[in-house]
């Protein structure tokens, strides 16, 4: 008689466990068991998690972490050990990391600094940790991310599971259509490099009480940086390029998300890039005052020239967000790629279409098609003139190659359009943005 209730209870618990797992399907299963996920949802005592280090260094977690590191590719760090070389001795490397983490003897290497183009002729620093450090950081993120993801705002989208830039852009467009015409366009100066380490670590301590995990986070925040023959330790910030940095950056800005949401403000944030959409100028000014006050308390600085309020009821006004320029013209909102976004695709195509290129036209087109497809997939919601503009420029580059091979100087224009019409390149399989755009506008929104 007592077996029936027992089986019913077991069945109910199994069903509940399956539902919880479904909601957290992105978590690392070797770390986040059904029991831990249930505790995550119901809450632990004091909302503080203890005894997490053993989950960081568990062999299954380290193995899963390496799989992610390998998938993300990337260069070697200061020890010159590539992903391929690390994988050749994978069992030995993971065993060493497991032992060092368990015994507390693990110490991160310095971060190798390189500089990459930022746009507008500027460069930004990128830190490249060693492969071994990327594995440990990934294992640590596997443990920490769900703890903080549970309380992250619905209005932040950067570096979060199941969310992306397109989701943020879609909501911004909807809010504009709904009458939110005053935009607080804010820019944090050098955010990743400016985060105060002590306050950031305190934000992590608010939810994590495992001293060894906190020590590991502190070590990453204080990793030396090596550039050429110079080595130093930055006083502030979390290294751009480090696996754990996006999570830490979201943790630090999370209170601002909730403060603005609590005041009824429509903020949409992707990492350190955010806008606040308001119905009136007064509301926008209030939002900007709140942001400035929070930034001062958080020891961060808003860029004085890039931070402003944009009135999207006025002809020609615009703001930029996540690579798009939202512009109000002739009583309508239009979206264009920002000048930086246009420059980036042109630079990518230009590098593969030098007039002195020695490969066949088929090969050249095969190398630029992935760039065009990827660019269009993100910018397909741009104004209808953009695809045709890019198409024309790409075909000009290809005609210039053919013109030089025929012994003629100059760019591929004029009569070259008759010698090599659009149909000619279509027969070689050139990806056409205009055609893709026509197909996209007839398909459901994506």
């Amino acid at each position: 008689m007592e077996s029936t209730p027992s089986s019913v209870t077991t069945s109910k618990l199994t069903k509940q466990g399956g539902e919880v797992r479904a909601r957290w399907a992105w978590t690392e299963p070797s770390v986040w068991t059904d029991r831990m996920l249930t505790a995550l949802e119901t809450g632990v005592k004091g909302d503080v998690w203890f005894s997490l280090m053993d989950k960081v260094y568990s062999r299954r977690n380290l193995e899963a972490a390496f799989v992610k590191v390998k998938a993300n590719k990337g260069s070697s760090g200061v020890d010159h050990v590539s992903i391929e070389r690390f994988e050749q001795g994978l069992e030995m490397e993971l065993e060493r990391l497991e032992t060092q983490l368990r015994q507390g003897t693990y110490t991160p290497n310095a971060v190798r600094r390189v500089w990459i183009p930022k746009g507008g002729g500027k460069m930004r620093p990128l830190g490249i940790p060693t492969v071994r450090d990327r594995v440990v950081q990934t294992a640590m993120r596997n443990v920490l991310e769900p703890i903080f993801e549970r309380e992250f705002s619905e209005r932040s989208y950067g570096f979060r599971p199941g969310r992306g830039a397109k989701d943020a852009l879609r909501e911004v467009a909807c809010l504009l259509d709904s009458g939110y015409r005053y935009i607080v366009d804010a820019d944090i100066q050098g955010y990743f490099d400016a985060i105060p380490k002590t306050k950031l670590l305190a934000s992590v301590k608010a939810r994590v009480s495992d001293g060894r995990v906190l020590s590991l986070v502190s070590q990453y925040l204080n990793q030396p940086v090596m550039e050429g023959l110079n080595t130093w330790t930055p006083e502030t910030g979390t290294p751009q390029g480090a696996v754990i940095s996006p999570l830490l950056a979201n943790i630090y800005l999370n209170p601002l998300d909730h403060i603005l949401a609590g005041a009824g403000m429509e903020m949409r944030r992707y990492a350190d890039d955010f806008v606040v959409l308001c119905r009136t100028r007064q509301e926008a000014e209030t939002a900007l005052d709140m942001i400035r006050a929070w930034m001062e308390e958080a020891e961060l600085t808003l860029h004085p020239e890039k931070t402003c309020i944009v009135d999207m009821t006025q002809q020609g006004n615009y703001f930029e967000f996540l690579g798009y320029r939202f512009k109000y013209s002739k009583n309508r909102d239009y979206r264009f790629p920002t000048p930086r976004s246009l420059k980036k695709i042109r630079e990518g195509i230009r590098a593969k279409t030098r007039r002195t290129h020695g490969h066949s036209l088929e090969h050249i087109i095969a190398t630029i098609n992935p760039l065009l497809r990827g660019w269009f997939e993100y910018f397909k919601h741009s104004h209808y003139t953009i695809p045709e503009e890019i198409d024309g420029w790409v075909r000009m580059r290809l005609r210039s190659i053919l013109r030089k091979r025929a012994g003629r100087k100059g760019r591929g224009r004029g009569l070259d359009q008759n010698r090599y019409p659009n149909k000619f390149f279509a027969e070689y399989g050139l990806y056409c943005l205009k055609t893709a755009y026509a197909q996209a506008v007839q398909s459901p929104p994506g």
Side-chain angles (χ1 to χ4, degrees), residues 31 41 47 65 79 82 87 89 133 140 157 167 189 191 216 232 235 298 321 336 360 366 383 434 444:
V31 174
E41 289 203 345
D47 280 336
D79 61 358
S82 65
E87 187 175 23
D133 290 341
M140 185 164 64
Y157 294 85
D167 301 309
Q189 277 190 305
Y191 174 60
L216 199 54
W232 73 98
E235 294 182 1
F321 185 53
F336 298 86
S360 67
H383 191 269
K434 183 178 180 181

Side-chain angles (χ1 to χ4, degrees), residues 354-367:
R354 307 288 185 196
R355 285 183 230 180
T356 54
H357 205 301
H359 288 89
S360 67
L361 186 62
E362 293 95 331
H363 176 85
I364 296 172
I365 288 176
T367 61

Side-chain angles (χ1 to χ4, degrees), residues 407-426:
R408 295 188 294 273
K409 297 181 179 180
R411 292 187 175 185
R413 294 173 176 170
L415 292 177
D416 286 316
Q417 295 183 7
N418 296 326
R419 295 188 183 99
Y420 314 110
N422 296 354
K423 183 179 178 182
F424 172 82
F425 296 106

